[in-house]
Amino acid sequence: MKSVCWRGQCRVPVSFSWSSRVVLSTGREVHFLTCYQLSNPGRLLDYPAHMEGQIWFLPRSLQLTGFQAYKLRVTHLYQLKQHNILASVGEDEEGINPLVKIWNLEKRDGGNPLCTRIFPAIPGTEPTVVSCLTVHENLNFMAIGFTDGSVTLNKGDITRDRHSKTQILHKGNYPVTGLAFRQAGKTTHLFVVTTENVQSYIVSGKDYPRVELDTHGCGLRCSALSDPSQDLQFIVAGDECVYLYQPDERGPCFAFEGHKLIAHWFRGYLVIVSRDRKVSPKSEFTSRDSQSSDKQILNIYDLCNKFIAYSAVFEDVVDVLAEWGSLYVLTRDGRVHALQEKDTQTKLEMLFKKNLFEMAINLAKSQHLDSDGLAQIFMQYGDHLYSKGNHDGAVQQYIRTIGKLEPSYVIRKFLDAQRIHNLTAYLQTLHRQSLANADHTTLLLNCYTKLKDSSKLEEFIKTKSESEVHFDVETAIKVLRQAGYYSHALYLAENHAHHEWYLKIQLEDIKNYQEALRYIGKLPFEQAESNMKRYGKILMHHIPEQTTQLLKGLCTDYRPSLEGRSDREAPGCRANSEEFIPIFANNPRELKAFLEHMSEVQPDSPQGIYDTLLELRLQNWAHEKDPQVKEKLHTEAISLLKSGRFCDVFDKALVLCQMHDFQDGVLYLYEQGKLFQQIMHYHMQHEQYRQVITVCERHGEQDPSLWEQALSYFARKEEDCKEYVAAVLKHIENKNLMPPLLVVQTLAHNSTATLSVIRDYLVQKLQKQSQQIAQDELRVRRYREETTRIRQEIQELKASPKIFQKTKCSICNSALELPSVHFLCGHSFHQHCFESYSESDADCPTCLPENRKVMDMIRAQEQKRDLHDQFQHQLKCSNDSFSVIADYFGRGVFNKLTLLTDPPTARLTSSLEAGLQRDLLMHSRRGT
């Protein structure tokens, strides 16, 4: 059991927490025997017990009223706080026969409160005097103490006789001086104090177990029950100390001097009335007349904050009462002194003036002052300590203001180098509460580095998890890097995934390229890709082989390495290999290895890979001096061109080959791009006559103009090219590519080309033209004869009747039967066959397809007849204007076309055709 003794040496002015004034003065002595509990707030002050058996009511207006409760005297009163019930002990007759009466103050009986129950206080026949009384707030327990040391317990409803039971709970040899009920959950305790001991009972059960708490007692009215702020402890005020008790043990004690007369608890304060001249507690039961009038001291203690809130001297204090938020001191001279508690702000201001900041803090906490108010006190306390030179104590107070006070206010006070320890402590706490910004982190780390305190620095940065980080990691990395603490900066960067900072320190400060490359290989794909783009050139310059290997993996099937091993279970990713080509700017050997690896392992690599590989191979081929190696490089370049990867970038590949004078590649690309003219010009430039003929033979079908160009080329040559000219002329003759006159004009410029060169060509050409003329004349004669015949038939149709002699149907070839349909063209049909196959009644089904073709051709010529703008455009853009004109002549654009269906005289023709149609229809009807 631990005791805390406090002698109240931190005494404050007597008017610190309370102010006093006289509120009632009768001018005569007032004789009260005892006054116990408070009345209901705002209604009654207390119930003074009169010697004549009356109970007096003292309202807030201080106008006394009362009623006759007993015939002789009232000795004890107890007012419940939660119920308007009053319990009293008094005497109706002479002798020791006290009665207990329960009054219901809400009900009236003849103008007086209703007495709900009367029963004798003494359960047995042995007379004794009542010394104290207490009632439980639930109205189920009432305890009465006697001077003979016994205690009776009334269990059940105390307002009714039927539901209550009285029994003796305690017997002893010393007078009972105090009783108090304490409720803890469902357990009810009863504290019993005598002049010599303190004990507690559990009265909510059956056996009423008893616990001896102490062997020290107190006098009458020197015990009280505290409120929850002191955990409902039972207070016993002895002459030497004031003891606090729990139901099962003794708590702290306070050494308050003086002989205690009254102990009272009010709103967290302990009120003690004492006098310096000590007398035996037993004298409390002697007549008051035997006691001389003496000065008495009333002290109000704040046990929580450990100071005396009020102290004053009174003469003959009868009792201390609490009501309406104030304390009232009754003195025997007929006065009532009111003590009122000052407001919290006034108390704090008084403490500030006395520099009692610790006491002010405790007071503010006990009064539940908000956090802003507490922070203000801490700041003032810190300022006070700082002005006194106590920097360590000041910074501790400033730490308590974190979250309320602007940190810059404190930081400015400790920027001096001699106070860097204090500043470090403040900044550490600021970070622990996650209220620091980047500037605070910078300042704290600078403090660590200035102090060379590596242990504190490591403790600060090496947190176990991300949730425990109370600072801006990036700022910390910057400061540590600047201060040269590279290992600490690397630790932060690696553990908090600041990959860019980690690599910056490794590459720019430590120059550990191997470790940087290993770290990149552990990163996830996105981070590895971005960091290789950023730092790839540096790594390639210092460790080209290892960097190339990592790039190969990154662009094919990348998996982050875990402790030197690849994570095979993770899905593979690959980067765009074309984006990493600039990294190899000064490393052609590694670039060639990378490009060849990508083209082999990943055939669908971006086009830039193949373009760069081709350029690299052509460069190597162009600069190689060794014939064997040059031939190998030549083969590789041609093989790459033939891989089919340059179809969409034909021009780029062609430019590369031309830049490096790679003629085989140029010719191959010309051929792939069907640039036969360029192939021809190349061979002409190099005077490769046989290749010129070969090109014409291979590609002349696709581009006949090659033969014309070849003829012109050989015609300009002064040397003997008769063999090649003859070959060209033979092909021109077979394909009829040029008019003979143009051939003669072309060869006329060549001095070596004699008539014998083109004699055979001209003879054969003339023979063919003669044959063509004869064929054309024969065709013209046949067309004229056919035209004459058709005109005769037309004339016959117009001038003479048409006799239909067909005996078979032109559709089904069956014998013609009536009804039948006949046409002027000579075709006849069954009526049902005609209706089944004809598209219109006016057209012959047999002649309709051929007639439709002819009509379509005529309409097409009519539509194109007026295409003047189109004709002019073709005439201007064509190289052969004569062919365009001949084509339009053939279409009949320049002739007025007369259709065979158009009659020379519209009226005559229409009437004739109408007559023929009418005869045809009449013949048809007769047949039916």
Side-chain angles (χ1 to χ4, degrees), residues 411-431:
I411 293 173
R412 284 196 298 267
K413 291 179 176 292
F414 296 97
L415 286 177
D416 195 310
Q418 297 178 353
R419 301 167 190 167
I420 193 171
H421 291 87
N422 304 124
L423 179 60
T424 303
Y426 179 81
L427 292 172
Q428 282 178 339
T429 308
L430 194 66
H431 281 81

Side-chain angles (χ1 to χ4, degrees), residues 19-114:
S19 61
S20 63
R21 61 190 176 93
V22 178
V23 297
L24 178 63
S25 178
T26 62
R28 60 182 178 86
E29 288 191 357
V30 179
H31 297 279
F32 299 103
L33 291 179
T34 182
C35 298
Y36 281 90
Q37 289 288 41
L38 307 179
S39 67
N40 288 335
R43 202 174 86 82
L44 301 176
L45 175 65
D46 213 323
Y47 305 98
H50 199 270
M51 292 297 293
E52 297 178 355
Q54 290 185 332
I55 296 178
W56 296 92
F57 295 88
L58 184 62
R60 201 161 192 172
S61 62
L62 302 180
Q63 299 297 322
L64 285 170
T65 60
F67 72 96
Q68 190 71 35
Y70 293 87
K71 296 178 180 180
L72 292 182
R73 66 182 63 86
V74 181
T75 59
H76 298 81
L77 294 176
Y78 191 95
Q79 167 68 50
L80 277 78
K81 296 179 181 180
Q82 300 177 9
H83 304 276
N84 210 0
I85 301 295
L86 175 64
S88 64
V89 179
E91 299 175 2
D92 283 339
E93 57 185 16
E94 293 293 342
I96 303 176
N97 187 20
L99 293 177
V100 179
K101 295 184 179 182
I102 306 299
W103 305 89
N104 189 335
L105 302 180
E106 293 180 350
K107 298 181 180 180
R108 292 289 171 177
D109 181 13
N112 297 327
L114 176 63

Side-chain angles (χ1 to χ4, degrees), residues 507 511 513 517 532 535-548 551 582-587 589-590:
L507 296 174
K511 310 295 184 182
Y513 305 104
L517 189 65
M532 281 305 296
Y535 303 109
K537 289 185 178 180
I538 299 175
L539 294 170
M540 183 62 68
H541 177 72
H542 293 89
I543 44 174
E545 295 183 1
Q546 297 88 330
T547 305
T548 303
L551 287 174
I583 294 176
F584 298 89
N586 299 317
N587 300 79
R589 183 170 61 88
E590 286 74 17

Side-chain angles (χ1 to χ4, degrees), residues 689-741:
Y689 303 147
R690 175 54 56 189
Q691 283 77 4
V692 171
I693 298 298
T694 303
V695 170
C696 292
E697 291 175 349
R698 292 180 58 184
H699 308 295
E701 295 292 334
Q702 302 178 53
D703 188 1
S705 63
L706 294 176
W707 292 102
E708 300 176 11
Q709 295 180 20
L711 182 62
S712 300
Y713 171 72
F714 290 124
R716 291 192 298 270
K717 292 293 180 181
E718 296 298 328
E719 55 190 90
D720 188 5
C721 298
K722 294 181 180 179
E723 177 184 357
Y724 305 110
V725 172
V728 173
L729 287 176
K730 181 178 180 180
H731 191 84
I732 290 175
E733 179 188 358
N734 294 335
K735 299 296 182 180
N736 193 22
L737 299 177
M738 295 176 64
L741 181 60

